[in-house]
Amino acid sequence: MIVALLLGRKGSIGFPGKNTFPIMGKPLAWYPMNIAKRTREIDKVYLSTDDPELKNLAIAEGVEVIDRPPHLATKEALGEHAYQHGFSVIQERNPGETIELVVLLFCNAATVTSDTISNGIKQLRENKDADSAVTVSKYNMWSPLRARKKDTDGFLQPFVPFETFGDPKTLNCDRDSQGDVLFADMGVSIVRPNNLLHLEKGMLPQKWMGQKILPLYQEAGCDVDYEWQIPVVEWWLKKYGEFR
């Protein structure tokens, strides 16, 4: 049995109401819900939320709702714990079932296709050593080499010591000079249940991915945290989406 679990919280500081913000005539959360429903390998789709609007949307789309506890619906709560809670509820609702894989999605992340999820499931079935398969996008312009932070005097300093990247004398400003910089873009994380049962063994910052993570390559994937990202998602959906 393969299940999909979406997360969507009511409160948002950076972009209030982002999960239900209309994109191309549909609420943002509609897209990952329906991608999960369209993925042939997925048997059941669940949504963990505290948001009445998202609950109504899920019910209308035939997605089973899990009530997200108040302590997991604050801005301080970690997604990994909400996923862990949601998975425990799924286990309770499916006694006697063996859950092979869990497809983890976010209501504010529409940049994923059912083919990508199917490909990730196939890779995990073929590679038993892998803990997960996750979507990644190449963002060389955001290499850690370019990252800065402000020091106590108000001046910018390297966020990561240059020595981390090798001999500083060989470094330059070419955005491609460090090779491809791959970011987990939150489109989807397909994980083995053991990852959620033993979060402490996972790699930071998204410990639900485990340690051995397979990449599922795509272009310009992102989860929406700010309103300026909406045009990017619209562009992506028009170019790659299944509901064009």
Side-chain angles (χ1 to χ4, degrees):
M1 180 181 186
I2 295 179
V3 299
L5 173 59
L6 292 96
L7 289 189
R9 188 169 60 85
K10 183 178 180 180
S12 174
I13 303 300
F15 184 4
K18 63 185 179 183
N19 292 323
T20 53
F21 189 89
I23 298 183
M24 294 168 53
K26 299 288 186 181
L28 177 57
W30 183 92
Y31 292 95
M33 283 185 191
N34 280 275
I35 287 297
K37 288 169 56 183
R38 286 168 65 104
T39 303
R40 60 186 180 274
E41 294 88 352
I42 294 176
D43 299 296
K44 293 185 179 181
V45 183
Y46 296 86
L47 165 69
S48 170
T49 187
D50 66 325
D51 188 342
E53 281 192 72
L54 285 176
K55 290 180 182 180
N56 290 337
L57 176 63
I59 292 169
E61 296 301 320
V63 172
E64 193 168 336
V65 173
I66 296 172
D67 288 318
R68 189 163 168 176
H71 72 281
L72 293 177
T74 66
K75 64 183 180 64
E76 293 83 14
L78 297 178
E80 62 193 40
H81 296 138
Y83 275 139
Q84 194 174 53
H85 168 266
F87 179 63
S88 69
V89 173
I90 292 171
Q91 287 181 303
E92 291 172 2
R93 294 186 186 179
N94 295 276
E97 291 281 359
T98 298
I99 298 176
E100 177 189 0
L101 296 168
V102 188
V103 178
L104 301 178
L105 299 156
F106 285 105
C107 285
N108 65 325
T111 55
V112 65
T113 67
S114 59
D115 283 345
T116 297
I117 296 176
S118 293
N119 179 36
I121 291 170
K122 180 175 182 289
Q123 289 195 44
L124 286 173
R125 284 173 168 172
E126 293 174 349
N127 188 339
K128 300 300 183 183
D129 290 331
D131 295 322
S132 65
V134 310
T135 49
V136 295
S137 294
K138 182 176 73 172
Y139 288 121
N140 290 359
M141 73 290 269
W142 291 328
S143 165
L145 180 65
R146 295 183 167 203
R148 298 288 183 268
K149 61 182 175 181
K150 191 167 68 173
D151 65 17
T152 55
D153 296 319
F155 298 113
L156 295 178
Q157 301 295 338
F159 200 94
V160 180
F162 289 145
E163 289 75 14
T164 301
F165 307 96
D167 184 353
K169 294 180 180 179
T170 67
L171 303 178
N172 61 61
C173 64
D174 184 346
R175 68 183 179 192
D176 299 320
S177 64
Q178 298 304 300
D180 288 342
V181 181
L182 303 177
F183 282 81
D185 60 31
M186 298 299 105
V188 69
S189 302
I190 307 162
V191 309
R192 302 198 190 279
N194 201 52
N195 295 14
L196 296 171
L197 296 174
H198 300 285
L199 282 173
E200 72 281 358
K201 296 182 180 180
M203 183 190 302
L204 288 170
Q206 294 93 15
K207 292 191 286 187
W208 62 77
M209 296 180 185
Q211 291 284 341
K212 297 179 179 180
I213 306 167
L214 296 173
L216 302 172
Y217 298 98
Q218 58 179 12
E219 181 183 15
C222 69
D223 56 333
V224 175
D225 288 315
Y226 302 100
E227 195 167 356
W228 63 263
Q229 294 172 292
I230 293 298
V232 176
V233 175
E234 289 182 343
W235 168 85
W236 195 99
L237 289 171
K238 290 175 182 177
K239 185 171 184 179
Y240 298 111
E242 297 181 31
F243 306 103
R244 297 192 293 274

